[in-house]
Amino acid sequence: MKKAVRVLAGVVVLCTVIFCTGVSFAQEVKNPAELEEVVVTATGKAEEVRKIPAHVTVITAKEIAEAGAVSIVDVLDGLAGINFRTFSANPSQAQLDLRGFGENGFGRTLVLLDGRKLNRPDMASVNWLQIPISNVERIEIVRGASSVLYGDCALAGVVNIITKAGSGKPKAEASIIAGSYGLHDERVSVSGSGERVTYALNGENQESSGYREQSDFSSRGAGFDVGYDVTDTLNVSAGVSFNHTDFEMPGCLTEEEMEEDRRQYQPGHSDDDSSNEYLNADLKIEYMPSDLGIFSANLAYGNKKIETNTPAWFSYNNLDIDTIGLTPRYELESSLLGHANKLTIGTDYYHETLDKEKYDSRGRDSMTFVADLTRNSIGWYIRDEFSLTENLILGAGYRMERVTIEGDETDLSTDEKAFDSKKVHAGEAYETSLTYLLGKQGKVFARYAKVFRIPFLDEQVSYYGYAGSDAFYNDIEKETGKSMEIGTRLYPLACLDVGLTLFRVDMEDEIAYNGVTWQNENMDETRHEGVELSFSCRPDRWISVSGNCTYQNTSFTEGADKDKEIPLVPETMANLKMDLSLPFDLVLSSTMQYVGTCYLGNDRDNSSDQMDDYTLFDAFLYYRPVPENCRISAFFGVENLTDEQYSTIGYEGSWGGSDTYYPSPGITVKGGISVRF
């Protein structure tokens, strides 16, 4: 805690110096807020950020390219309130946590691809590599309850990844990135548009031998998007993306094993690996008759083929997951009683199937178990924004959703069913908000919402046998909660942007894994509350500074663990970035990331030692030519300059066993070059 206070104090001092310095330069720099920043995630339709009752961040393709990011995880890590945990520094399965939900935080944040759900129906993280980063136009992050518009999994926030559609004359770009631990990443993309047609194609290949032994991974992906303006009011677009990822799993280590060699694999787990194939396809129709609103419909299909081998656990499994989604929506902007009004009505239908095959060996010679599971959901929603005055917007919305989970599993050795059952969940969400627009750029907002989350398939059903026998747990109920937040975004100076959000989420029946019973259970009531502070300052053309700080207080509010902290939720997180413009079109960028202490996974009674806090420093030099006709850009830098030894995730030992951790990479060198044609 003392180290956290010192770090935060340093951040405050540095911010104060920059703030004061910025006063004398404030009139020399154009206010970045004057550039109209819009998002589609928060309301379903393009809208100015300042009109949205939430803490919103938008990352553009230009910012992604300039940062030299090799994955979407690189882009999101370090943003206010976001905490990533990873078992092997492999970005394909990194777990995102927002608003302090801890062990299963990724299940409370919805991840979208062009508005279509990417979250898996089972208890596993999104494969962040399934979208080639060269195909990303921008990423929108909306923090806070979004259950009315998006339903399941959106109770902590939404991450919407929006792909490139192509515009203007044909453009092509090729890039290569290389770095420590055998990293190399090659990308190519082509985009453009004709009189009525838009197109964008891309491909990417990424490989790394990993920081630890037994942590190789490779990812190959490609995608395209084609749009056609049938008429001036009717547009049709289609997109397809494919990804194949192979990765090894180095496992966990005890403190003694890390002291011996933190880069070794877990003893006895020398052959754990997984292979994943992802296919995403969607067809979108948008009809915009004048003065009659906008009708849109998205038909989406996704397929995931996952093969996992864990010889130490005698576990060899194949998963085949299919998702079909249909999401029609109607939006109308009009005048109501002489005031501006925006109405959104929609329906979401998803049909998801999961087929699991269990084998006796890596060679898949004999199948031992087979499970067939289905998750059907249908929800409808209505949301309205009414301008009480020119500067005061009242928002309200309601959603009802019905989800049916059913399936069976058969033991092929006896031909007997381990289970054959069904569970129906009814979810209900509502929200109300007030947003007051301050001047030309600022806002103050308040929002109250009721949220819900339906159990994952493997929370409702045990089909891996870890609880002693496979079973369908009819007593597992959906999560429900109430979310409250107030915040502001201000521009006290022409060069300074400051955001502040206070939030609290009270949850009932939150689901988490119990390391003693080896199954998931509804926990006692919990509370997640905190403060998010962010700022961006550009006092002069040669310098820019940005940063954020998040404080979280998460705890059980009822039951045997009342007043105990929720595991794997760091109390404090802080990030600071400074860019200095140098001669010859060079930019020196330095960042600091601090993540505070937290209790180990499964440690609900807070009886074990806490995980150590850590501070990471990165430094990069970028070549960013100012003239638009310059076709080459490049970067070189070092991550984790001080070679900090840290872990982002760890678990309390069961039945008196040792606590275990998953070591993260040490000092890492990385560089790359891009060429535009």
Side-chain angles (χ1 to χ4, degrees):
M1 184 64 185
K2 291 182 179 179
K3 184 176 180 181
V5 172
R6 290 197 301 270
V7 171
L8 291 177
V11 172
V12 171
V13 170
L14 181 55
C15 294
T16 303
V17 172
I18 297 299
F19 179 89
C20 296
T21 305
V23 175
S24 62
F25 294 101
Q27 303 304 316
E28 298 181 18
V29 183
K30 182 178 180 180
N31 187 346
E34 293 176 1
L35 303 175
E36 185 177 337
E37 188 179 32
V38 298
V39 296
V40 299
T41 308
T43 62
K45 184 179 184 297
E47 185 170 29
E48 289 182 71
V49 167
R50 75 190 197 107
K51 292 184 179 180
I52 297 169
H55 180 180
V56 180
T57 303
V58 180
I59 309 295
T60 66
K62 182 175 182 292
E63 292 170 323
I64 293 172
E66 290 180 346
V70 297
S71 70
I72 292 174
V73 173
D74 290 344
V75 177
L76 299 179
D77 195 21
L79 297 181
I82 290 180
N83 180 38
F84 272 105
R85 295 185 295 271
T86 175
F87 294 101
S88 63
N90 173 2
S92 69
Q93 302 294 329
Q95 299 179 356
L96 181 151
D97 186 14
L98 188 60
R99 296 281 161 96
F101 278 87
E103 295 177 82
N104 283 347
F106 61 90
R108 281 79 178 180
T109 300
L110 181 66
V111 181
L112 302 171
L113 177 62
D114 293 323
R116 177 178 56 81
K117 182 172 69 172
L118 284 184
N119 296 65
R120 285 170 49 167
D122 60 337
M123 194 169 55
S125 181
V126 169
N127 180 353
W128 298 97
L129 293 177
Q130 66 183 286
I131 311 101
I133 199 168
S134 58
N135 193 34
V136 176
E137 177 64 30
R138 68 183 186 277
I139 303 174
E140 301 174 353
I141 304 98
V142 179
R143 299 162 181 83
S146 300
S147 295
V148 167
L149 276 181
Y150 296 105
D152 194 28
C153 291
L155 58 87
V158 179
V159 176
N160 192 6
I161 303 161
I162 300 169
T163 57
K164 296 177 180 177
S167 63
K169 296 180 180 180
K171 298 181 290 290
E173 183 172 354
S175 66
I176 182 169
I177 296 174
S180 301
Y181 317 121
L183 170 67
H184 64 89
D185 183 299
E186 300 84 32
R187 308 170 191 166
V188 62
S189 64
V190 178
S191 63
S193 64
E195 184 177 351
R196 288 188 174 273
V197 177
T198 64
Y199 58 89
L201 302 91
N202 67 86
E204 183 170 357
N205 175 66
Q206 183 180 155
E207 294 185 5
S208 172
S209 57
Y211 170 70
R212 296 176 59 190
E213 299 174 353
Q214 182 68 21
S215 64
D216 291 12
F217 85 87
S218 64
S219 175
R220 296 169 179 83
F224 73 86
D225 182 276
V226 178
Y228 179 65
D229 293 328
V230 181
T231 67
D232 292 339
T233 59
L234 178 62
N235 174 267
V236 178
S237 62
V240 176
S241 63
F242 173 81
N243 174 265
H244 181 99
T245 301
D246 296 311
F247 60 90
E248 298 175 326
M249 298 178 284
C252 57
L253 299 175
T254 65
E255 289 187 354
E256 292 76 14
E257 289 166 342
M258 287 194 296
E259 290 178 2
E260 175 188 338
D261 180 6
R262 63 184 290 106
R263 298 181 64 175
Q264 66 176 308
Y265 60 79
Q266 180 181 355
H269 288 257
S270 62
D271 205 19
D272 297 354
D273 59 31
S274 182
S275 177
N276 295 220
E277 284 189 0
Y278 288 75
L279 173 67
N280 297 299
D282 66 270
L283 174 67
K284 182 179 291 186
I285 300 174
E286 192 171 55
Y287 179 50
M288 300 166 285
S290 59
D291 301 326
L292 294 178
I294 300 176
F295 300 88
S296 63
N298 191 4
L299 176 62
Y301 171 74
N303 176 259
K304 307 170 182 67
K305 296 185 185 298
I306 301 157
E307 180 180 302
T308 304
N309 302 293
T310 315
W313 293 94
F314 305 103
S315 179
Y316 307 91
N317 296 294
N318 286 4
L319 294 181
D320 193 334
I321 302 172
D322 279 317
T323 300
I324 298 174
L326 178 62
T327 56
R329 173 179 293 188
Y330 171 68
E331 301 156 351
L332 175 65
E333 287 192 55
S334 61
S335 178
L336 180 63
L337 302 176
H339 297 264
N341 190 74
K342 179 189 295 184
L343 175 67
T344 304
I345 301 174
T347 299
D348 295 333
Y349 169 75
Y350 282 96
H351 172 72
E352 299 172 286
T353 61
L354 184 151
D355 298 329
K356 188 213 76 169
E357 298 172 344
K358 187 175 183 178
Y359 294 88
D360 64 347
S361 66
R362 177 183 289 273
R364 270 61 178 171
D365 299 319
S366 177
M367 189 186 305
T368 58
F369 282 85
V370 59
D372 298 303
L373 303 170
T374 302
R375 187 182 191 274
N376 288 313
S377 66
I378 184 166
W380 67 269
Y381 59 90
I382 181 171
R383 188 178 187 277
D384 192 77
E385 293 182 10
F386 181 71
S387 296
L388 297 170
T389 69
E390 185 178 353
N391 292 327
L392 184 62
I393 303 171
L394 171 65
Y398 176 79
R399 182 186 189 96
M400 181 176 291
E401 189 163 327
R402 179 184 175 90
V403 180
T404 302
I405 297 174
E406 58 184 322
D408 61 77
E409 182 178 35
T410 303
D411 183 342
L412 297 180
S413 63
T414 62
D415 205 30
E416 294 182 357
K417 288 190 179 297
F419 60 81
D420 186 354
S421 195
K422 180 171 76 171
K423 176 84 172 186
V424 178
H425 297 276
E428 184 182 49
Y430 57 78
E431 70 173 55
T432 182
S433 64
L434 276 174
T435 306
Y436 184 74
L437 308 181
L438 295 172
K440 295 183 179 181
Q441 293 91 29
K443 69 176 178 181
V444 176
F445 67 88
R447 180 166 58 165
Y448 176 84
K450 179 182 178 182
V451 298
F452 69 91
R453 187 184 75 86
I454 307 300
F456 290 118
L457 288 177
D458 44 353
E459 287 177 324
Q460 192 80 69
V461 185
S462 172
Y463 48 83
Y464 286 106
Y466 294 150
S469 63
D470 293 355
F472 195 107
Y473 298 113
N474 281 284
D475 56 343
I476 294 288
E477 300 293 339
K478 67 178 181 297
E479 300 178 351
T480 61
K482 297 176 181 178
S483 174
M484 297 147 278
E485 58 186 309
I486 59 174
T488 184
R489 184 176 181 182
L490 302 173
Y491 297 84
L493 297 172
C495 63
L496 181 63
D497 171 1
V498 179
L500 177 67
T501 304
L502 288 77
F503 66 88
R504 188 170 100 178
V505 185
D506 290 328
M507 295 295 300
E508 296 181 7
D509 294 324
E510 193 174 334
I511 304 169
Y513 179 73
N514 188 326
V516 176
T517 62
W518 283 34
Q519 68 184 58
N520 293 284
E521 301 172 350
N522 289 112
M523 299 190 299
D524 296 306
E525 295 179 9
T526 60
R527 173 166 293 171
H528 311 255
E529 57 187 1
V531 181
E532 296 166 348
L533 171 67
S534 61
F535 79 96
S536 177
C537 180
R538 191 177 182 88
D540 192 54
R541 293 179 179 84
W542 60 274
I543 184 172
S544 67
V545 182
S546 60
N548 60 73
C549 178
T550 303
Y551 172 79
Q552 303 173 120
N553 179 24
T554 61
S555 61
F556 296 95
T557 55
E558 295 292 341
D561 298 321
K562 183 178 180 180
D563 297 328
K564 300 297 184 180
E565 295 183 26
I566 296 174
L568 292 179
V569 180
E571 184 179 63
T572 307
M573 298 183 292
N575 299 275
L576 187 64
K577 180 180 180 181
M578 178 182 294
D579 288 348
L580 297 175
S581 296
L582 305 175
F584 309 109
D585 297 323
L586 298 175
V587 177
L588 178 62
S589 179
S590 58
T591 61
M592 182 214 74
Q593 180 182 30
Y594 171 78
V595 178
T597 58
C598 64
Y599 285 98
L600 293 167
N602 298 330
D603 186 15
R604 300 185 194 176
D605 61 359
N606 299 170
S607 59
S608 293
D609 293 335
Q610 289 186 308
M611 287 185 61
D612 293 336
D613 57 353
Y614 58 88
T615 305
L616 306 177
F617 296 93
D618 302 339
F620 280 82
L621 183 65
Y622 298 94
Y623 173 61
R624 298 174 180 168
V626 175
E628 291 296 329
N629 59 357
C630 189
R631 301 179 181 274
I632 298 177
S633 60
F635 75 92
F636 177 81
V638 182
E639 298 173 337
N640 193 2
L641 272 165
T642 60
D643 201 23
E644 177 92 338
Q645 297 187 353
Y646 70 103
S647 299
T648 61
I649 190 169
Y651 289 93
E652 180 185 40
S654 300
W655 302 298
S658 299
D659 298 338
T660 54
Y661 306 84
Y662 294 82
S664 293
I667 188 169
T668 302
V669 178
K670 187 168 64 174
I673 185 169
S674 297
V675 180
R676 293 179 295 277
F677 303 94

